[in-house]
Amino acid sequence: MYLASVDGLKEGDVLAKKIYNADGQLLLETGKRLNRHYINKLKALGLTHIYLKDNRLKEIKKEDIEIIPDKIKEEAIIIARESFKRISSGNIKLSKKEEDQLNKLITDIINSTISNKNILNCLKDVRVLEDELFFHLTNVAVLSLVVGKKLGYSKEALFELGIGAFLHDIGKIRISPEILNKPGKLSEEEFEEIKKHTIYGYEILSNMEGISESSARIAYLHHERCDGSGYPKGITKRYIDEYAKIVAIADVFDAMMNDRAYRASIKVKEVIEYMYTAFTENKMDRDLLAIFLKMITPYPIGTTVRLSIGCEAVVTQVNEAMMLRPIVKVLNFNGLDKELEIDLSEDLDIDIIDD
C-alpha cells in the first residue's frame, strides 16, 4: 500500500483504503479497480491523494497508517457535520442523545490515542475538499490529545481538551461561506471577518450545556500567539491557556499538511521547517512545540517519495533514530532486474528530494 497522487492514477490501479464523504457515505470500496470514470470522479471530488495496493510491497499493518481507527474517524466526521448543522440553525442545545454521542466519541478517541504507540505515523488524510472542515476538526482533536497524553493529563483533563479541540472552529458557522471558502487571497475586510470566528465560537460553546469554560476558551484563544501577534486580543504567552496553546499547534500543523479549498497541501519537510520557525520566533509555546515535533514522523509508512537517483519509492519502515532517512522500496528504476529496498540511514549518497 502506498499514497498516490490522483493526477498520476492509471486505469487498473487498485484502491487500498475505503473513501468516505463527511456524511459517512461510502464513495469507493477497498479493492475497487479504477477505471476512467472512477478516476474522473475522484478528481471532481477534489481528492489529491489516495491509497493504492501494490503487490511489490509488503502488506502494511492498519495501525501503521491510521491515527485512529477508520470507524471512529467516520463517526467523528458525521457528528461534527451534524453539530454544525444544528448550531447553524440556531439551536445550540444538544439533546441527551447528541451529548452522549459526543462524549462517547471523545472517550473513544482518548482511548485510541492511549493504545496506539505509532500515533503520528500517519499524517495525511484522503479527504473530499468540501468536507475539509470536518476532517480538520477530527484531526485537531486527535493531535491535541496526543500532546495531552504525553503531558500526563488526567482522563478529565483530556476530555476537556478533546471537546474543545473538536469544536474549536465552531464559530465558522457564522462566517459567510463565500468568505470561508474563497480560493484566492482574502481582502483586509474579509480577513477581519474571518478572525471573528474565535469570538463567535466562544459565545456558542460558553452557552452550551455540558461544555466547560476551559473547553470554550479553546475556541476563543486558539489563534493567539505567544509573542502577541495573534487574534482576537493579541495577548501574550502568560495569558493564553495551555489547552489553547496545544490546539494552536495541532491546528496549524493539520491545516498545512492537508489540502484546503484555497491551496494544496504543503510538503512535510516545509511544514516541519515552518513549525521550527514558529519555535524560534516564539509564536508558539516552545516546550509544547518541542514535544509535538519529537512525535512527528516526517515520512510515514506508505508515503511516496522521489529519490535523488531519479526514481520513486515508497516508505516501508521508519528509522526511529534518523526520521528523515527511512527505509524505502523502489517503485520504478530502469534496468533493475530485482526488487530494491534501500535503508537511507546507511546509504547516505541517496537523498529524498521530493515527497
Side-chain angles (χ1 to χ4, degrees):
M1 182 191 301
Y2 67 100
L3 192 63
S5 166
V6 169
D7 288 336
L9 293 178
K10 306 180 298 297
E11 292 191 71
D13 284 339
V14 179
L15 192 65
K17 284 191 75 177
K18 297 175 183 178
I19 298 175
Y20 294 87
N21 66 10
D23 288 321
Q25 296 174 323
L26 181 64
L27 300 178
L28 285 176
E29 177 64 85
T30 300
K32 179 67 71 175
R33 192 170 293 278
L34 301 180
N35 55 30
R36 183 52 48 193
H37 169 73
Y38 289 134
I39 292 172
N40 289 337
K41 183 178 179 181
L42 292 171
K43 290 180 179 178
L45 287 168
L47 290 172
T48 59
H49 293 80
I50 61 171
Y51 283 97
L52 295 180
K53 287 188 175 181
D54 192 313
N55 294 330
R56 295 169 293 177
L57 303 173
K58 287 184 285 189
E59 193 63 31
I60 297 172
K61 296 177 183 177
K62 266 194 160 188
E63 56 266 29
D64 284 335
I65 60 167
E66 290 181 354
I67 298 179
I68 55 173
D70 279 343
K71 187 175 187 301
I72 294 178
K73 174 160 275 195
E74 291 157 25
E75 290 173 359
I77 293 163
I78 292 169
I79 289 171
R81 180 180 276 276
E82 289 176 349
S83 298
F84 271 55
K85 278 183 181 177
R86 169 179 282 275
I87 293 168
S88 64
S89 69
N91 186 354
I92 64 170
K93 181 176 173 58
L94 297 177
S95 68
K96 182 65 168 63
K97 180 182 177 182
E98 289 168 328
E99 190 174 328
D100 288 344
Q101 281 182 325
L102 184 57
N103 292 345
K104 180 181 181 300
L105 170 69
I106 299 302
T107 300
D108 287 345
I109 294 175
I110 290 170
N111 291 337
S112 294
T113 62
I114 288 173
S115 62
N116 192 338
K117 294 178 182 177
N118 301 319
I119 194 68
L120 291 189
N121 270 5
C122 180
L123 303 171
K124 192 168 184 65
D125 266 330
V126 173
R127 59 170 75 177
V128 179
L129 280 182
E130 68 181 35
D131 302 327
E132 68 177 51
L133 176 59
F134 309 108
F135 282 91
H136 177 63
L137 296 175
T138 303
N139 277 1
V140 170
V142 172
L143 295 171
S144 298
L145 286 168
V146 173
V147 178
K149 169 194 165 188
K150 192 74 175 178
L151 291 170
Y153 279 6
S154 66
K155 278 285 188 77
E156 292 74 19
L158 286 172
F159 189 81
E160 280 192 328
L161 173 62
I163 288 283
F166 187 63
L167 298 174
H168 76 281
D169 269 344
I170 194 75
K172 286 185 175 179
I173 62 172
R174 294 188 184 172
I175 306 294
S176 163
E178 288 74 23
I179 295 177
L180 207 55
N181 301 316
K182 184 178 177 179
K185 186 178 179 180
L186 294 173
S187 67
E188 188 175 333
E189 292 78 14
E190 288 169 335
F191 185 53
E192 287 302 315
E193 182 61 23
I194 284 281
K195 290 197 291 188
K196 292 178 183 175
H197 82 275
T198 56
I199 299 169
Y200 297 150
Y202 176 72
E203 289 174 352
I204 291 167
L205 294 184
S206 60
N207 284 294
M208 287 178 65
E209 290 183 18
I211 304 293
S212 72
E213 172 69 9
S214 296
S215 297
R217 284 176 62 81
I218 292 173
Y220 187 56
L221 298 173
H222 71 278
H223 277 289
E224 296 289 2
R225 297 293 178 257
C226 293
D227 64 351
S229 63
Y231 63 84
K233 291 294 185 182
I235 57 178
T236 53
K237 177 180 178 177
R238 64 182 297 190
Y239 301 107
I240 306 171
D241 300 354
E242 185 167 86
Y243 289 169
K245 292 175 186 173
I246 293 171
V247 172
I249 293 169
D251 179 46
V252 169
F253 184 82
D254 184 69
M256 295 180 75
M257 278 298 300
N258 290 289
D259 301 301
R260 310 306 293 269
Y262 49 87
R263 60 145 176 82
S265 61
I266 299 171
K267 294 175 183 177
V268 65
K269 282 197 291 189
E270 293 174 9
V271 175
I272 293 172
E273 285 171 3
Y274 176 87
M275 301 299 276
Y276 271 111
T277 300
F279 182 106
T280 57
E281 292 180 353
N282 294 315
K283 290 189 177 296
M284 295 181 183
D285 187 283
R286 293 173 66 89
D287 295 333
L288 297 175
L289 189 53
I291 290 170
F292 186 84
L293 289 171
K294 282 180 183 176
M295 295 189 295
I296 292 173
T297 303
Y299 300 110
I301 292 172
T303 303
T304 306
V305 296
R306 181 166 293 281
L307 302 179
S308 58
I309 55 175
C311 63
E312 287 190 335
V314 173
V315 175
T316 57
Q317 190 175 328
V318 174
N319 280 317
E320 297 293 335
M322 297 181 71
M323 291 289 207
L324 290 170
R325 303 194 70 82
I327 297 173
V328 300
K329 184 77 164 285
V330 172
L331 287 180
N332 46 29
F333 196 76
N334 291 335
L336 190 67
D337 295 324
K338 60 181 181 179
E339 295 181 348
L340 177 63
E341 196 164 60
I342 303 171
D343 186 341
L344 296 178
S345 68
E346 295 180 356
D347 199 332
L348 301 180
D349 292 329
I350 301 175
D351 296 310
I352 294 174
I353 59 174
D354 200 9
D355 63 281

